Amino acid sequence: MGDEERGPLTWAQVRGALQAVALERDEWAGYPMPIRDFPLRLNPRQPMAAMLQGAYFEGEKIRGRDEESAPSPTVRNEWYSHRYQARVMIAEVEGRLRALMVPAVGTRNTLTINTLGVAASPAWTAEAEFTAMEKLQALITPHAWTCYVLTGGFLESSDRSGVVYFFRKLRPTLALKATADGSDTKILAALCLHPIGYYEQTWAGVMVPTDDVIAHVTLMRGDEADFWRQANQHPAWVPEAGI
Amino acid sequence: MTHTDNGSLEILNVGAGHLKIEFNKANPAEVARAKRMVEDMLQRGYAIFVHAEKGRLLPVRRFDPKTAAYIVEDVPGVEEMAREHPVRPPKNGRRTRRIPMATAKATVVGRTAGG
């Protein structure tokens, strides 16, 4: 077939080519798929990080974070204001210190909509999600599986620590513990972690949503301390906790 | 232990959900490929967990290519394993066991990034 008869590449072909190259290079977990608008954020020790860190599509061109010219402000201090329901930052902007406020509700909505944006992109396929769901079903109890199918989440307690984990699709896992008098539970942290990497400003990992859940369950059961060490531990009240 | 006639590795994968690699212990070529994969994955920072009974997952700390055995951290209370595989003396305060790769089912997770 001549070049003029070939149509433009489809996303499925791009995904297939990336995975073929990854397997050829013995990258068993595969290469993440750059998409429009949401830059990739990878573990810096990943071999592909040098090539794909911050990568995203702008039209048909692939861009990286390093190409962006506007320098980000240097944050000197940062805290959460319950009064304003916002993150307050003291940052150096153009040589002067300024106070910035990032409202929590706006950020939460942004994360929710952006995560939907990743689902609408070619990052994942329904087939891969169904494959991951089959594996998850084999890992958890039938009751937990029913909860997951119906709500996108399930509970599992750790024999070692007594912590109850609320595993959730496309949200950080909540670590819960009973209060001292046993009358209530408190959220210790929202644990955010993705195998290989994730898309910035979203709750979406580069793997399909249920693969992220499998990774959380596997790490919690296999090495709970390491799960906490590797995860980003968000307090319950910040938007990134997804509550 | 979750023993099978054949060993298997299920690797969480970006494009496919997961890759499933099964190898027949009677087939030296398949076992050699799996050994190479396991060694390579441990070097690249992948986390490998061997499935045990009651849904337990045992983290693989090292791999012995000579005997094709996973060296996993011991988990107290795994009685069935205790009968099948002798406990090694504690090293650095941790007990380890050797699990033959050819009959174990393992799940593999790539390097992670906190979100």
Side-chain angles (χ1 to χ4, degrees):
Chain A
M1 196 195 303
D3 280 350
E4 67 282 358
E5 292 171 29
R6 289 187 191 137
L9 278 177
T10 64
W11 286 111
Q13 286 171 319
V14 173
R15 189 185 303 107
L18 268 176
Q19 297 323 312
V21 171
L23 288 181
E24 207 170 81
R25 296 178 180 178
D26 292 345
E27 292 292 349
W28 309 106
Y31 280 157
M33 179 89 167
I35 57 172
R36 286 198 179 101
D37 302 329
F38 306 113
L40 282 168
R41 169 63 68 190
L42 307 174
N43 181 320
R45 294 175 71 189
Q46 291 284 359
M48 76 284 274
M51 181 175 62
L52 290 173
Q53 189 73 277
Y56 64 99
F57 274 103
E58 191 179 271
E60 290 182 349
K61 288 186 175 171
I62 194 160
R63 302 275 186 203
R65 273 173 71 87
D66 296 343
E67 293 174 30
E68 291 172 6
S69 54
S72 52
T74 307
V75 178
R76 293 285 185 86
N77 201 358
E78 182 180 342
W79 66 91
Y80 189 82
S81 164
H82 290 275
R83 183 178 172 193
Y84 294 110
Q85 289 284 297
R87 183 176 289 169
V88 183
M89 290 184 280
I90 305 297
E92 198 177 310
V93 183
E94 295 171 349
R96 296 186 62 183
L97 287 181
R98 294 185 186 278
L100 307 172
M101 273 212 290
V102 183
V105 173
T107 309
R108 194 174 295 121
N109 286 345
T110 303
L111 287 166
T112 307
I113 296 293
N114 286 354
T115 303
L116 188 63
V118 175
S121 80
W124 307 323
T125 64
E127 290 79 9
E129 173 64 6
F130 287 137
T131 304
M133 286 177 77
E134 275 176 33
K135 177 160 175 65
L136 180 67
Q137 186 179 14
L139 280 175
I140 61 180
T141 64
H143 179 69
W145 172 246
T146 303
C147 290
Y148 186 72
V149 170
L150 295 177
T151 70
F154 62 93
L155 296 171
E156 184 170 313
S157 60
S158 162
D159 293 339
R160 295 186 200 97
S161 65
V163 172
V164 176
Y165 292 90
F166 184 2
F167 296 102
R168 304 181 297 167
K169 183 186 264 197
L170 290 172
R171 295 292 184 278
T173 292
L174 301 181
L176 312 167
K177 186 105 178 175
T179 53
D181 62 3
S183 64
D184 203 353
T185 54
K186 61 180 176 183
I187 300 171
L188 300 174
L191 304 170
C192 194
L193 172 147
H194 306 276
I196 308 297
Y198 61 97
Y199 297 100
E200 269 188 15
Q201 289 298 305
T202 75
W203 282 301
V206 299
M207 293 191 181
V208 289
T210 299
D211 264 345
D212 275 2
V213 175
I214 292 169
H216 284 221
V217 173
T218 304
L219 287 166
M220 186 283 285
R221 288 188 193 166
D223 197 336
E224 196 174 356
D226 202 41
F227 175 45
W228 280 75
R229 205 164 25 242
Q230 289 189 49
N232 210 345
Q233 300 173 19
H234 297 298
W237 56 83
V238 300
E240 288 83 356
I243 298 171
Chain B
M1 264 317 287
T2 304
H3 278 297
T4 56
D5 290 339
N6 297 320
S8 73
L9 289 164
E10 290 195 26
I11 309 156
L12 299 191
N13 176 277
V14 173
H18 65 268
L19 293 179
K20 188 164 186 178
I21 313 287
E22 289 185 312
F23 43 95
N24 183 338
K25 61 184 176 185
N27 184 331
E30 285 184 11
V31 173
R33 178 177 178 244
K35 278 163 64 171
R36 185 178 65 82
M37 283 178 69
V38 168
E39 286 185 280
D40 183 56
M41 285 191 291
L42 286 172
Q43 268 188 353
R44 289 172 189 245
Y46 284 62
I48 304 178
F49 298 92
V50 174
H51 291 243
E53 75 275 16
K54 296 178 184 170
R56 284 194 176 95
L57 291 162
L58 311 178
V60 174
R61 298 304 181 199
R62 293 190 305 283
F63 179 71
D64 182 354
K66 286 180 186 164
T67 57
Y70 296 117
I71 298 170
V72 300
E73 206 166 292
D74 183 35
V75 177
V78 187
E79 292 81 9
E80 190 181 328
M81 279 179 61
R83 283 196 300 274
E84 292 181 13
H85 306 285
V87 177
R88 296 212 145 206
K91 194 175 182 180
N92 302 326
R94 288 177 167 175
R95 287 174 182 272
T96 58
R97 292 181 193 280
R98 301 169 82 84
I99 309 290
M101 183 184 76
T103 54
K105 181 183 168 190
T107 294
V108 186
V109 182
R111 262 189 216 283
T112 60

